[in-house]
Amino acid sequence: MKYVCNVCGYVYDPAQGDSDGNIPEGTAFEDLPDDWCCPICGASKDNFSPED
């Protein structure tokens, strides 16, 4: 499932991971480190919502 940043609209796609944050492809949102933040605006994980 993809998650959207409520602040800037960035979409975290587990299939792509987050290369800027050293998050490998296939990493579920729930498995991201607690200190992971949006690579665009720096919002924390609790500012993300599941994409419809």
Side-chain angles (χ1 to χ4, degrees):
M1 176 181 291
K2 297 178 183 178
Y3 282 75
V4 181
C5 178
N6 298 324
V7 177
C8 73
Y10 167 80
V11 177
Y12 175 76
D13 182 351
Q16 296 181 354
D18 173 19
S19 59
D20 292 338
N22 294 321
I23 304 298
E25 295 174 359
T27 302
F29 185 82
E30 295 81 8
D31 295 332
L32 292 171
D34 290 337
D35 62 351
W36 181 84
C37 59
C38 177
I40 303 300
C41 72
S44 61
K45 278 178 67 176
D46 58 359
N47 285 304
F48 280 72
S49 300
E51 185 177 58
D52 290 332

